[in-house]
């Protein structure tokens, strides 16, 4: 059978050479460098490796796992080996999710170029495959099921394939489907016969039922029937008529259907499986929020100890931590700086065994990656432990490396009355840290210096003989700055050149909300440990909400989380805290929630807080929410699942017994979960048909997490996949939820099919 690659991919010299294989050094550390033989398989979609050419090979990675390919000089590991190998011979394969990079050194610059260009060519091809090709999974399944690789599939091979596909089917029914597809009656399936078998296998009776409910003849949906479906079920309202035409044009496979404005069952299924039929509202995917409000009115995607790619005690520090955080949309990254050797500051988790990286490398990495994912401002949260001398070096690196990107004075040189907006700060990097004085004093000093300079110039023109006097005593013109200098001599803790780079984000200690209101300014920001922040929410939740309506707050994980685990950010967002810092290197429920919130608004790292969290007079209390907030009732019918993977595809184990759990995270009374029964032995097309009901007081703060688990009565259920999204970005009607792995990467084509209905008010509410 022709593989996907051979049929679709234009012949490329690099790809052909990759299929011949290459001997290269796999590098894990300065001491671990081993020769391995890498070869692109004939399917063009997987790379295998062996200890030597002709040796026993095993899969290394799939092209769909690869995010990008980087040149050798972009890898800190390969740079550290520059004396052993020319950097031009090295390259790095970067994978989606949290999988470690693969650093390779080829035997020649030519071979490195062939693999870099060839891999990038294949990655671009996979990325550009359209929805239809992605749905045509049968090529892959045929390759996996055709055990003896003779291009034909016998019934025993089909039975084995069904097990691989995670479906336990009645043998007689499977044989029936097999014989119906075997039109040549050869006892095997080949080419189109297998395609027919696969289509029969993947038939969706539950989708057909919905289709037939709206179709008069059961064969097609006319334009008016489709408009009715979009209006009644999908709650598309006024735009249903225009949308129906657009969707038929986009998803109907037959040209005659497009011309007649009708939708076939295939077209209907294509629509339901597409972005338009997704549970996530496509209107919330681009930047759709007002980006002109003050910075403190937004939740800001924030990372804790960004330099760590492992645990907090002896994990590895790496600029890779910054690359990954910035590429996934983080807009606030943390830098812990300590005195380093040769007068160069270093970054690491102080008083621990974590490895160290030069501060200037971190700044250079931020300069390169800051705006690759989002144009909105990046905040460098500096934890500065350096002596005066090395602080001066820090200031020098920040100004020289970041250049125009660095915001080093107020936007217009004037004293602001509120924080600037993300829009005004586009492509700017802001420093958050301690500061010697207030912004007012900074600006006054700048003004005095300007006045002094112009006076000096005027005096020099008029009376050149006074030049010497001015040179020896210029400070006499400004007794105030003289006092300042004395002040600075008393506190040599902070270097003025570094202090001057902190403009809108001056770090101050928190004492109480009253103290902040009476003594602090809007551009001063406090940090809270998760424990302190949670206790403040309980003791004075409304005061915290009001505080966060005028000042920025940063919350960081407890020092006890040495394993880099995370807290649930939701309860801190409920109080309006903006920079809720996460250990983004650690996958799990908490990061799913964080990714879920920031999935909206173009993934730009800024999400506008609800209006009741932006009001300094707000009466909202996150622990005791009361009206005027609009309560809603949610009905979710969990209908079916499609091609759910096993947790570990390499293990020959029983078929999964899937169940679906729907979790809601929001204010405390709204946080709850419910689950369906499990379906025995079917991960391929399980059917549940169960309805779950939720009542939510504050929908503006709620997030939904759909989790699919493999039922296991002996232990905790095994995780299969999840998808998390904000309540406000959820579409009603018949929707597919496309599942993500633990790591947040796509599990395509795994999905669950649901029907969602939202009603105003609380159903069964006696009041």
């Amino acid at each position: 059978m022709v593989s996907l690659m051979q049929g679709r991919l234009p012949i490329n010299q690099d790809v052909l050479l990759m299929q011949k294989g290459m001997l290269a050094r796999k590098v894990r550390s300065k001491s671990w460098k081993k020769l391995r033989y890498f070869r692109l398989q004939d399917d063009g979609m997987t790379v295998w490796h062996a200890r030597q050419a002709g040796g026993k090979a095993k899969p290394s990675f799939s092209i769909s796992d690869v995010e990008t390919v980087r040149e050798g000089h972009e890898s800190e590991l390969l740079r550290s080996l520059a004396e052993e190998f020319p950097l031009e011979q090295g390259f790095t394969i970067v994978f989606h999710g949290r999988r470690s990079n693969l650093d390779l050194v080829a035997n020649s610059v030519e071979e490195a170029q062939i693999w870099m260009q060839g891999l990038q060519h294949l990655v671009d091809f996979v990325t550009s495959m359209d929805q239809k090709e992605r749905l045509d999974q049968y090529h892959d399944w045929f390759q996996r099921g055709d055990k003896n690789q003779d291009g034909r599939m016998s019934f025993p091979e089909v039975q084995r394939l069904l097990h691989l596909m995670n479906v336990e089917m009645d043998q007689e029914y499977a044989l029936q489907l097999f014989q119906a597809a075997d039109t040549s009656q050869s006892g095997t399936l080949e080419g189109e016969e297998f395609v027919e078998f696969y289509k029969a296998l993947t038939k969706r009776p539950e989708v057909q039922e919905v289709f037939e409910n709206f179709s008069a003849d059961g064969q097609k949906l006319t334009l008016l029937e489709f408009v009715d479906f979009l209006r009644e079920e999908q709650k598309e309202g006024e735009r249903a008529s225009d949308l129906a035409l657009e969707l038929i044009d986009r998803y109907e496979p037959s040209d005659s259907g497009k011309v007649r404005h009708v939708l076939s069952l295939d077209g209907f299924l294509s629509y339901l499986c597409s972005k338009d039929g997704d549970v996530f509202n496509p209107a919330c995917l681009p930047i759709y929020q007002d980006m002109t409000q003050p910075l403190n009115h937004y939740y800001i995607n924030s990372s804790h100890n960004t330099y760590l790619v492992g645990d907090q005690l002896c994990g590895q520090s790496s600029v890779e931590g910054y690359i990954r955080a910035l590429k996934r949309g983080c807009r606030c990254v943390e830098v812990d700086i300590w005195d380093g050797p040769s007068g160069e500051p270093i970054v690491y988790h102080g008083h621990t065994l974590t490895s160290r990286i030069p501060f200037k490398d971190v700044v250079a990495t931020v300069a390169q990656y800051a705006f690759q994912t989002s144009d909105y401002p990046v905040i460098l949260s500096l934890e500065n432990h350096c002596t005066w001398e090395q602080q001066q070096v820090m200031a020098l690196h920040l100004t020289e490396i970041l250049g125009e990107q660095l915001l080093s004075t107020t936007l217009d040189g004037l004293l602001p009355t509120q924080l600037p907006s993300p829009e005004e700060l586009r492509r700017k990097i802001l420093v958050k840290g301690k500061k010697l004085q207030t912004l007012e004093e900074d600006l006054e000093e700048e003004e005095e210096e300007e006045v002094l300079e112009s006076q000096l110039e005027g005096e020099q023109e008029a009376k050149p003989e006074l030049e010497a006097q001015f040179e020896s005593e210029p400070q006499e013109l400004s007794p105030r700055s003289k006092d300042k200098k004395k002040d600075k001599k008393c506190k040599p803790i902070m270097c003025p050149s570094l202090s001057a780079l902190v403009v809108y984000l001056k770090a101050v200690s928190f004492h109480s909300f009253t103290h902040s209101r009476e003594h602090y300014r809007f551009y001063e920001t406090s940090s809270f440990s998760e424990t302190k922040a949670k206790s403040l929410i309980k003791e004075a939740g409304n005061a915290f909400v009001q505080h966060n309506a005028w000042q920025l707050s940063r919350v960081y994980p407890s020092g006890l989380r040495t394993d880099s685990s995370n807290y649930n950010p939701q309860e801190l967002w409920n109080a309006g805290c903006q920079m809720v810092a996460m250990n983004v290197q650690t996958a799990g429920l908490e990061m799913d929630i964080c990714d879920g919130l920031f999935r909206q608004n173009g993934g730009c790292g800024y999400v506008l807080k609800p209006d009741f969290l932006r009001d300094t007079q707000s009466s909202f209390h996150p622990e005791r929410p009361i009206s005027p907030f609009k309560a809603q009732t949610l009905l979710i019918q969990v209908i079916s699942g499609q091609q759910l993977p096993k947790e570990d595809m390499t293990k020959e184990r029983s078929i999964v017994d899937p169940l679906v759990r729907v979790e809601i995270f929001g204010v405390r009374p709204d946080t709850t979960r419910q689950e369906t029964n499990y379906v025995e032995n079917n991960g391929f097309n399980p059917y549940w048909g169960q309805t779950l009901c939720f009542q939510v007081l504050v929908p503006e703060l709620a997030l939904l997490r759909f989790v699919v688990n493999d039922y296991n009565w002996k232990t905790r259920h095994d995780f299969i996949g999840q998808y998390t999204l904000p309540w406000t970005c959820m579409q009603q009607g018949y929707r597919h939820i496309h599942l993500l792995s633990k790591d947040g990467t796509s599990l395509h084509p795994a999905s669950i099919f649901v029907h969602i209905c939202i009603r105003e008010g609380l159903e069964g509410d006696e009041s």
Side-chain angles (χ1 to χ4, degrees), residues 178-332:
F178 180 88
Q179 287 168 340
D182 180 17
T183 49
S184 65
Q185 298 188 332
S186 63
T188 60
L189 302 180
E190 45 193 307
E192 281 306 308
E193 291 177 335
F194 179 74
V195 173
E196 287 312 309
F197 172 73
Y198 184 87
K199 281 186 173 170
L201 197 62
T202 53
K203 206 169 165 191
R204 299 277 302 272
E206 76 282 23
V207 171
Q208 195 158 351
E209 191 183 324
V210 175
F211 182 80
E212 288 169 358
N213 284 345
F214 282 84
S215 163
D217 65 0
Q219 301 301 306
K220 65 182 180 304
L221 286 176
T222 65
L223 182 60
L224 289 178
E225 286 168 346
F226 190 36
V227 168
D228 284 347
F229 171 77
L230 291 175
R231 195 173 283 140
E232 290 170 30
E233 292 298 341
Q234 308 299 79
K235 304 289 187 254
E236 295 290 4
E238 293 304 304
R239 69 191 207 110
S241 304
D242 293 339
L243 187 63
L245 279 169
E246 208 180 292
L247 295 175
I248 289 171
D249 198 48
R250 201 175 296 160
Y251 300 111
E252 174 50 43
S254 81
D255 291 337
S256 65
K258 285 180 183 174
V259 171
R260 291 180 297 135
H261 296 159
V262 298
L263 196 62
S264 63
L265 178 59
D266 278 352
F268 184 65
L269 181 58
S270 276
Y271 152 67
L272 287 177
C273 292
S274 74
K275 276 267 180 276
D276 294 291
D278 195 273
V279 67
F280 196 99
N281 187 345
C284 298
L285 284 173
I287 291 166
Y288 70 100
Q289 295 181 333
D290 175 6
M291 301 305 286
T292 63
Q293 301 205 24
L295 222 46
N296 53 298
H297 284 186
Y298 297 85
Y299 296 121
I300 302 171
N301 193 344
S302 302
S303 154
H304 173 62
N305 287 355
T306 315
Y307 45 86
L308 288 181
V309 287
D311 67 47
Q312 311 277 317
L313 295 181
C314 43
Q316 186 196 352
S317 302
S318 165
V319 294
E320 194 61 42
Y322 292 93
I323 296 173
R324 290 182 181 191
L326 291 166
K327 287 191 83 166
R328 64 185 294 149
C330 281
R331 298 288 85 191
C332 175

Side-chain angles (χ1 to χ4, degrees), residues 453-473:
E453 272 173 32
S454 62
Q455 279 182 333
L456 276 168
E457 279 165 20
E459 293 287 350
Q460 280 170 329
E461 279 168 25
K463 297 177 184 166
E465 69 274 12
L466 287 177
E467 195 174 310
Q469 185 189 335
F470 280 120
E471 272 182 6
S472 58
E473 304 180 310

Side-chain angles (χ1 to χ4, degrees), residues 234 236 271 276-278 731-736 752-754:
Q234 308 299 79
E236 295 290 4
Y271 152 67
D276 294 291
D278 195 273
Q731 298 206 91
Q732 295 191 66
Y734 288 99
R735 302 291 171 186
H736 277 92
I752 49 176
F753 184 48
V754 299

Side-chain angles (χ1 to χ4, degrees), residues 2 153 168 215-216 235 300 363 381 453 480 502 644 697 754:
V2 177
M153 204 173 288
E168 194 163 280
S215 163
K235 304 289 187 254
I300 302 171
V363 180
S381 183
E453 272 173 32
R480 200 154 176 263
V502 176
L644 306 174
L697 297 172
V754 299

Side-chain angles (χ1 to χ4, degrees), residues 285-425:
L285 284 173
I287 291 166
Y288 70 100
Q289 295 181 333
D290 175 6
M291 301 305 286
T292 63
Q293 301 205 24
L295 222 46
N296 53 298
H297 284 186
Y298 297 85
Y299 296 121
I300 302 171
N301 193 344
S302 302
S303 154
H304 173 62
N305 287 355
T306 315
Y307 45 86
L308 288 181
V309 287
D311 67 47
Q312 311 277 317
L313 295 181
C314 43
Q316 186 196 352
S317 302
S318 165
V319 294
E320 194 61 42
Y322 292 93
I323 296 173
R324 290 182 181 191
L326 291 166
K327 287 191 83 166
R328 64 185 294 149
C330 281
R331 298 288 85 191
C332 175
V333 294
E334 188 180 19
V335 196
D336 270 347
I337 314 111
W338 301 77
D339 278 0
S342 319
E344 279 294 339
I346 50 171
V347 173
Y348 78 107
H349 200 199
H351 311 301
T352 65
L353 300 174
T354 58
S355 56
R356 293 139 164 76
I357 39 178
F359 175 68
K360 65 177 175 192
D361 286 4
V362 170
V363 180
T365 301
V366 171
Q368 185 180 351
Y369 288 92
F371 304 111
Q372 285 196 5
T373 299
S374 164
D375 266 0
Y376 290 111
V378 165
I379 295 166
L380 284 184
S381 183
L382 300 187
E383 291 294 323
N384 170 17
H385 307 278
C386 292
T387 54
W388 177 288
E389 291 72 24
Q390 294 214 5
Q391 286 181 42
Q392 284 183 305
V393 178
M394 281 169 61
L396 192 68
H397 288 328
L398 287 165
T399 48
E400 288 191 349
I401 298 170
L402 298 179
E404 287 294 299
Q405 292 181 323
L406 181 67
L407 186 99
S408 53
T409 180
T410 56
L411 285 174
D412 49 11
L414 302 173
L415 186 68
T417 52
Q418 60 176 29
L419 286 173
S421 68
E423 191 57 47
E424 291 172 298
L425 293 167

Side-chain angles (χ1 to χ4, degrees), residues 710-729:
D710 180 4
Y711 172 79
N712 190 329
W713 65 273
K714 282 186 278 195
T715 59
R716 281 175 65 241
H717 303 329
D718 292 330
F719 173 90
I720 293 175
Q722 67 83 30
Y723 187 79
T724 309
L725 78 162
W727 180 289
T728 50
C729 298

